[in-house]
DNA sequence: CCGCATCCCATGTGATACTG
DNA sequence: CAGTATCACATGGGATGCGG
């Protein structure tokens, strides 16, 4: 478990020793959305081997980034205050990587937690502030996401709820946010499948969540 | 060389595919200071094996983060505009890791490039703005660093120059910046060895460059 | 089931040596 | 100087097992 070190004494090398191992920041990303159980983390990171997940959780715990907490009989992993301070790092990384998104490959998935952080990354409060409060219901496979925008506030939660626009979508939704795909074409090509509500609100969605290359 | 992928389609996973491999962000960190030759990068990362350095440089080039540029007969590596956009990521990581710096171990070194980025991370422009322009000369082993603060501007360059305070130091200088070590104790314990100039300016230095846990 | 631990193999990494 | 080549070893990936 000895964190592999870089032989340097500095802030960046120290940070990379603590959270620079493979998968570590993806675990942090999901925990930034909320506390998660072991199996929830595993579900959100479909390709992580179980031994690696277990190892990372122990390392991140030793690093003071997260803690195991017994919540009413079940164990959940949650970020410590210090771990939550990684949010600017994760958002900055997300914004940077967002600009290099190519086309989604077939085996690539998006999970509720990953898209939640992508929404936070791409959220433009200054745009949203000028728009009326809006609730979007996004269906990803069999998971529902309720995205509520009210002024400069953004709230993303799992599950269903009353929405001004409800749609089913997949990885392609990110291409709508990056501007690669117009709202009309997203609907026409089936990347976004409007389930109910005002489909014209998809334009507002694309304006509210936008990060250009 | 196929970047190992995480099987997810999202900004953070994409970023980690491009710059998440071991050593990659440390190379970026040093290149954020300025273009560097292969041997300069190797010197700044004493523990990186040469084959890993060569591999990472190729990967980062393929990722559009840096480019090989022939500058008057010699080859230098420099960040592309897209690579330079990693600066917020590196600074955020540095600020976070800075708070988890323990005591420097004997084998740990600080390099001119690493401390330059640490100085940028810890620089407090709002504090500096209220202070008179000051030049510090820092000697790290056999390398000199000239740190000039003028209002909200910070300029760190290698080499010598006129300084209001010149001192020799080592890894412990970061503990002065984190507040773990007072300026008086830094001088008393030899962590900072004043070579010339007004030693009282070390207090100003510690105030100008400060990042608390 | 959930939360891991074990096993095995492929790949990445590290140290040293070597070359155009 | 700017990298390759080689090889031993550590780590990651995937399947499977297993106790609570």
């Amino acid at each position: 478990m000895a964190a592999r070190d870089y032989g340097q004494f500095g802030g960046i090398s120290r940070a990379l020793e603590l959270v620079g191992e493979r998968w570590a920041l993806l675990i942090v990303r999901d925990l930034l959305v909320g506390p998660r159980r072991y199996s929830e983390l595993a579900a959100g990171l479909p390709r992580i081997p179980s031994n690696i997940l277990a190892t990372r959780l122990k390392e991140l715990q030793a690093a003071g980034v997260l803690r195991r907490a017994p919540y009413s009989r079940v164990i959940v992993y949650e970020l410590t205050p210090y771990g939550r301070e990684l949010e600017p790092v994760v958002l900055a990384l997300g914004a940077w990587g967002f600009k290099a998104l190519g086309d989604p490959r077939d085996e690539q998935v998006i999970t509720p937690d990953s898209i939640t952080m992508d929404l936070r990354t791409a959220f433009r409060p200054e745009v949203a502030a000028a728009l009326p409060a809006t609730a979007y219901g996004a269906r990803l496979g069999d998971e529902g996401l309720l995205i509520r925008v009210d002024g400069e506030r953004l709230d993303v939660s799992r599950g269903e709820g009353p929405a001004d626009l409800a749609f089913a979508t997949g990885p392609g939704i990110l291409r709508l946010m990056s501007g690669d795909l117009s709202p009309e074409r997203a609907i026409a090509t089936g990347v976004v499948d409007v389930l109910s509500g005002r489909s014209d609100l998809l334009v507002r969605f694309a304006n509210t969540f936008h990060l250009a290359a």
Side-chain angles (χ1 to χ4, degrees), chain A:
Chain A
M1 158 146 355
R4 287 148 95 213
D5 88 308
Y6 289 99
Q8 305 205 328
F9 190 68
I12 294 141
S13 49
R14 189 77 237 265
L16 291 174
E17 284 167 7
L18 297 179
V19 295
E21 300 290 309
R22 194 165 164 73
W23 295 104
L25 278 175
L26 291 179
I27 294 170
V28 171
R29 175 198 66 185
D30 286 3
L31 290 180
L32 278 169
V33 179
R36 292 286 179 267
R37 315 171 51 159
Y38 183 94
S39 53
E40 292 172 326
L41 289 170
L45 275 2
R47 309 218 351 195
I48 195 174
S50 62
N51 56 346
I52 300 293
L53 177 55
T55 303
R56 288 291 172 275
L57 289 173
K58 273 183 242 170
E59 289 168 351
L60 291 171
Q61 191 182 356
V65 173
L66 56 81
R67 88 184 120 223
R68 294 175 99 222
Y71 258 156
S72 65
R73 300 286 291 159
V74 300
I75 292 167
V76 298
Y77 294 89
E78 61 182 8
L79 294 177
T80 62
Y82 186 51
R84 248 174 278 124
E85 290 180 34
L86 279 167
E87 178 156 358
V89 173
V90 173
L91 290 178
L93 260 179
W96 187 81
F98 205 91
K99 301 179 185 173
L101 283 175
D103 292 318
R105 268 166 291 124
D106 289 347
E107 82 276 11
Q108 289 187 313
V109 298
I110 65 172
T111 67
D113 286 345
S114 79
I115 200 174
T116 296
M117 292 307 296
D118 282 329
L119 286 167
R120 286 195 199 166
T121 299
F123 182 54
R124 299 200 290 180
E126 73 285 2
V127 170
L131 293 168
T134 315
Y136 306 91
R139 173 145 289 285
L140 308 161
D142 55 355
E143 283 272 14
L145 218 56
L146 186 60
I147 304 159
R148 276 174 299 200
V149 179
D150 188 356
E152 297 194 350
R153 279 193 53 78
L154 164 66
D155 181 70
V156 184
S157 59
R158 293 167 101 140
E160 315 294 331
D164 302 300
L165 165 65
F167 55 86
T169 187
I173 185 73
L174 297 190
R175 296 176 49 73
L176 175 66
M177 290 157 62
S178 73
D180 277 356
L181 197 63
S182 70
E184 304 82 48
R185 277 197 59 75
I187 292 176
T189 57
V191 166
V192 169
D193 181 19
V194 174
L195 301 173
S196 70
R198 293 168 46 197
S199 63
D200 63 293
L201 287 178
L202 198 60
V203 174
R204 187 186 293 175
F205 178 90
N207 275 319
T208 304
F209 301 98
H210 183 65
L211 204 58

